[in-house]
Amino acid sequence: MPTEVRPASPDQAELLRRLLAAGLLIESGVPGVYGHGEPFERVRDGLDRLLTREARSRGAIKLRFPPVLPKRHLESTGYLGNFPHLAGSIFSFDGSESEAAEQAERAADHADWSEFQSQTEVTLMPAACYPVYPAVAQRGRLPEGGLFVDAGAAWVFRHEPSMDPARRQIFHQHELVRIGEPDVVLEWRTEWAQRGVELLRGFGLDANLDKANDPFFGRRGRLLAANQRAADLKLELLVPIAGPEPTACASFNHHMDHFGSTFGIELADGSVAHTACLGFGHERIVLALLATHGLDPDAWPQEIRSRLLEDE
Amino acid sequence: MPTEVRPASPDQAELLRRLLAAGLLIESGVPGVYGHGEPFERVRDGLDRLLTREARSRGAIKLRFPPVLPKRHLESTGYLGNFPHLAGSIFSFDGSESEAAEQAERAADHADWSEFQSQTEVTLMPAACYPVYPAVAQRGRLPEGGLFVDAGAAWVFRHEPSMDPARRQIFHQHELVRIGEPDVVLEWRTEWAQRGVELLRGFGLDANLDKANDPFFGRRGRLLAANQRAADLKLELLVPIAGPEPTACASFNHHMDHFGSTFGIELADGSVAHTACLGFGHERIVLALLATHGLDPDAWPQEIRSRLLEDE
């Protein structure tokens, strides 16, 4: 039974139509899965360079990770308890020649071949910061003051098919992660939330910071969401894209000692590290720019062009 | 039953040990799935820029695609008949609250939770050129002379766990694709195979072109491989990485009308387009450079540095 596809609002449907017609997005046949045309990538590249430079100038080290995560890490984080509806797991074939032939025959008919697939040791990446924690834990005790990691614009997967062009199943999440003493981490999040507002307003976007919660699953999830809000653990940067309802284009998350204790990340004095992360959604920011300034980046205001496209 | 992990040769095991110790690669716990440290990415970025520039200066248009492919496209290409052992499919959860709770409990115990997962409409990307064909078919008839597409360094998945650091389950394949008249396409492949040799030799690598075949599955696969060789459809650029046995770092593939007829790509005169593609394996080329010139790019010969790292 295929998962229900969320419909688009009339504004969202119109934006998607224009993006496809202009060749900025390329339809794949699956809602929320698109290719990118040249002008779209030109803006996204500019954003990527700018965020990378901002992070580097403030002491970030660069680590990069693929779009798959060891299943064991996903299991350890509790992601499947909180977001079972969003996770993607990877299956593959490990059967005989006759099973392979039967599978290929069904696939050629676009019939069901799932029974020949079995679960592998990897899943899709649910959030770009996840592989950072075990990687940092491997390095041993943190230096005094902790660590600032730029995990770059990694591909992350969320199984939520939608006709809203801003709601992708697979997209670039540019994550910066701070790992260290509790006060250092909290201050870093506050500072970067403010920097995020200034950055997006500097692009001419109507960006506003607000308290938020993650889309936790089910009845238990409502309680988790309320707790997250009460403890002020998640902020989002909201920007209008299509229609009046704004879309979250970045989030700033405080994890307390959740990842530190899960993966055994130790501060210089041996106590458990706190962590925070922030994620900029590349595709959503590019969409907000295109919706605000028009579909042709060459016709954007000079100030925005020089900020984003200057060093091409 | 987990798929068997191919062991490393002593030379490969030693190279992997050195790469991990130097922080160039980051262990994930799954064979063939690694993070990249800063110096590794620095070289890979340089290679990416150089290949992008080479393609652009020869008229390529840039299209970019995510690491997932519509299942329907994978089915249409016949990939599951030829390479069932390498394909990765994506499953997700679509059940009740009580099933979600049971799944989470099993996951927390690192037990089997596969029965709660069902197949989605997407698979992992098997080769970076696959999404190009339906995208080009959508544009309608090709212009005279066809089209040259730079699909960039996309993430592709091959389910073949191995302890050889050059054999990844997930890696960047930089694909260039030529779609057009039969003679134009064949000439393009010949020209780029020669350019590939010169490019890698220019990096100080001992690169040699050879006839090759794809790793087709099973008994039927042996026949397909023999036919592919006889028809001269695949060339590989071989470079020593760890030990005397060279590794394929790039391939140059002639598809005749396979993708053109599968996806309905029409030439200007309405006949079926031919296609060819070439893929440079980013990670393998970076490994070859590190193995040849040493693990510290700053200590490489000036000529190689200026070629690869000049415009940082």
Side-chain angles (χ1 to χ4, degrees):
Chain A
M1 190 182 64
T3 303
E4 211 177 314
V5 178
R6 284 200 217 186
S9 73
D11 289 324
Q12 291 164 354
E14 172 61 11
L15 178 61
L16 178 57
R17 193 197 58 71
R18 289 173 59 220
L19 291 163
L20 293 169
L24 287 157
L25 294 188
I26 301 162
E27 204 143 30
S28 77
V30 172
V33 178
Y34 301 99
H36 296 164
E38 186 140 353
F40 192 101
E41 277 297 302
R42 187 180 161 207
V43 180
R44 202 184 69 71
D45 274 349
L47 177 64
D48 190 39
R49 280 194 304 271
L50 191 146
L51 291 171
T52 303
R53 215 161 46 220
E54 285 280 328
R56 158 150 318 221
S57 73
R58 289 169 176 86
I61 61 162
K62 192 194 260 192
L63 301 179
R64 292 292 183 266
F65 298 94
V68 304
L69 184 73
K71 183 174 63 176
R72 206 177 167 85
H73 290 167
L74 190 79
E75 291 166 346
S76 298
T77 59
Y79 189 87
L80 288 166
N82 295 334
F83 313 107
H85 54 309
L86 299 178
S89 62
I90 299 171
F91 280 54
S92 74
F93 174 82
D94 199 19
S96 66
E97 296 219 18
S98 62
E99 287 165 328
E102 171 73 16
Q103 176 180 254
E105 203 169 302
R106 291 210 206 155
D109 293 341
H110 302 300
D112 185 355
W113 44 277
S114 61
E115 71 178 88
F116 300 106
Q117 299 281 298
S118 53
Q119 193 164 18
T120 69
E121 296 306 300
V122 283
T123 69
L124 285 173
M125 191 64 75
C129 67
Y130 275 40
V132 172
Y133 309 111
V136 168
Q138 276 177 38
R139 298 162 81 111
R141 284 195 180 180
L142 290 172
E144 205 71 53
L147 214 58
F148 177 7
V149 176
D150 169 10
W155 286 104
V156 301
F157 180 81
R158 305 277 166 87
H159 188 242
E160 44 178 351
S162 165
M163 296 307 291
D164 173 3
R167 189 166 294 278
R168 298 281 189 97
Q169 293 199 60
I170 184 113
F171 57 95
H172 286 99
Q173 190 181 53
H174 200 133
E175 283 246 26
L176 307 179
V177 184
R178 190 72 173 89
I179 305 177
E181 292 76 10
D183 55 333
V184 168
V185 164
L186 189 55
E187 195 182 322
W188 178 88
R189 189 191 65 155
T190 307
E191 183 194 311
W192 269 93
Q194 198 45 50
R195 182 167 297 125
V197 175
E198 286 158 19
L199 207 74
L200 294 202
R201 287 193 183 157
F203 297 160
L205 301 178
D206 179 18
N208 290 288
L209 205 57
D210 203 1
K211 225 182 243 209
N213 60 263
D214 285 307
F216 294 103
F217 179 76
R219 278 188 308 275
R220 175 176 159 271
R222 287 198 284 277
L223 184 67
L224 292 172
N227 290 346
Q228 192 182 28
R229 277 182 179 267
D232 212 8
L233 296 180
K234 190 177 190 76
L235 301 170
E236 281 179 346
L237 201 39
L238 301 167
V239 183
I241 295 181
E245 192 70 33
T247 299
C249 286
S251 74
F252 307 86
N253 309 286
H254 189 196
H255 317 120
M256 312 289 287
D257 66 352
H258 174 64
F259 290 111
S261 54
T262 299
F263 291 105
I265 310 178
E266 289 183 357
L267 295 173
D269 68 2
S271 59
V272 177
H274 277 215
T275 65
C277 76
L278 58 93
F280 287 92
H282 271 196
E283 282 79 0
R284 286 187 174 177
I285 296 174
V286 175
L287 289 183
L289 285 160
L290 293 165
T292 304
H293 302 303
L295 300 195
D296 176 10
D298 282 324
W300 288 358
Q302 176 54 38
E303 197 198 325
I304 317 269
R305 278 192 357 249
S306 72
R307 215 176 273 250
L308 260 174
L309 311 172
E310 60 189 346
D311 52 357
E312 279 179 323
Chain B
M1 189 182 66
T3 304
E4 209 177 318
V5 178
R6 283 200 218 184
S9 73
D11 289 323
Q12 292 164 352
E14 172 62 10
L15 178 62
L16 178 57
R17 195 197 56 72
R18 290 173 59 222
L19 292 163
L20 293 169
L24 288 157
L25 294 188
I26 301 163
E27 203 143 29
S28 77
V30 172
V33 178
Y34 301 98
H36 295 164
E38 188 141 350
F40 192 100
E41 276 297 302
R42 189 180 160 207
V43 179
R44 201 183 69 71
D45 275 348
L47 177 64
D48 190 38
R49 280 194 305 271
L50 190 146
L51 291 171
T52 302
R53 215 162 44 222
E54 285 279 329
R56 159 152 318 223
S57 74
R58 288 172 177 84
I61 61 162
K62 193 195 260 194
L63 301 179
R64 292 292 182 266
F65 298 94
V68 305
L69 185 73
K71 184 174 63 178
R72 206 177 167 83
H73 290 167
L74 190 79
E75 291 167 348
S76 297
T77 58
Y79 190 86
L80 288 165
N82 294 334
F83 313 106
H85 54 308
L86 299 179
S89 61
I90 299 172
F91 280 54
S92 75
F93 175 81
D94 199 20
S96 66
E97 295 219 20
S98 62
E99 286 166 329
E102 170 74 15
Q103 177 180 253
E105 202 170 301
R106 290 208 208 155
D109 293 340
H110 302 301
D112 185 355
W113 43 278
S114 61
E115 71 178 89
F116 300 105
Q117 299 281 299
S118 53
Q119 193 164 18
T120 69
E121 296 306 299
V122 282
T123 68
L124 285 173
M125 191 64 73
C129 67
Y130 274 40
V132 171
Y133 308 112
V136 168
Q138 276 176 39
R139 298 162 79 112
R141 283 194 181 180
L142 289 172
E144 204 71 53
L147 214 58
F148 177 8
V149 176
D150 169 9
W155 285 104
V156 301
F157 180 81
R158 306 277 166 87
H159 189 242
E160 45 178 352
S162 164
M163 297 306 292
D164 173 3
R167 190 167 293 278
R168 298 281 189 97
Q169 293 198 60
I170 183 113
F171 56 95
H172 286 100
Q173 190 181 54
H174 201 133
E175 282 245 25
L176 307 180
V177 183
R178 190 72 171 90
I179 305 178
E181 293 75 9
D183 55 333
V184 168
V185 165
L186 189 56
E187 195 182 321
W188 179 87
R189 188 190 68 153
T190 307
E191 183 194 310
W192 270 93
Q194 198 46 47
R195 182 166 298 126
V197 176
E198 284 158 21
L199 207 74
L200 295 201
R201 287 192 183 160
F203 297 160
L205 300 178
D206 178 18
N208 290 289
L209 206 58
D210 203 2
K211 226 183 242 212
N213 60 265
D214 285 307
F216 294 103
F217 179 77
R219 277 189 307 275
R220 174 176 160 271
R222 286 197 286 277
L223 184 66
L224 292 172
N227 290 347
Q228 192 182 28
R229 278 182 178 266
D232 211 6
L233 296 181
K234 188 178 192 74
L235 300 170
E236 282 180 345
L237 201 39
L238 301 167
V239 183
I241 295 181
E245 191 70 32
T247 300
C249 288
S251 74
F252 306 87
N253 309 286
H254 189 197
H255 317 121
M256 312 289 287
D257 67 352
H258 174 64
F259 290 110
S261 54
T262 299
F263 292 105
I265 310 177
E266 289 182 356
L267 295 174
D269 69 1
S271 60
V272 177
H274 277 216
T275 66
C277 76
L278 60 94
F280 286 91
H282 271 196
E283 282 79 359
R284 285 186 174 178
I285 296 174
V286 176
L287 288 183
L289 284 160
L290 293 166
T292 304
H293 301 303
L295 300 195
D296 177 9
D298 282 324
W300 288 358
Q302 176 54 38
E303 198 198 323
I304 317 271
R305 275 185 7 242
S306 72
R307 213 177 274 249
L308 260 174
L309 312 171
E310 61 190 347
D311 53 357
E312 280 181 322

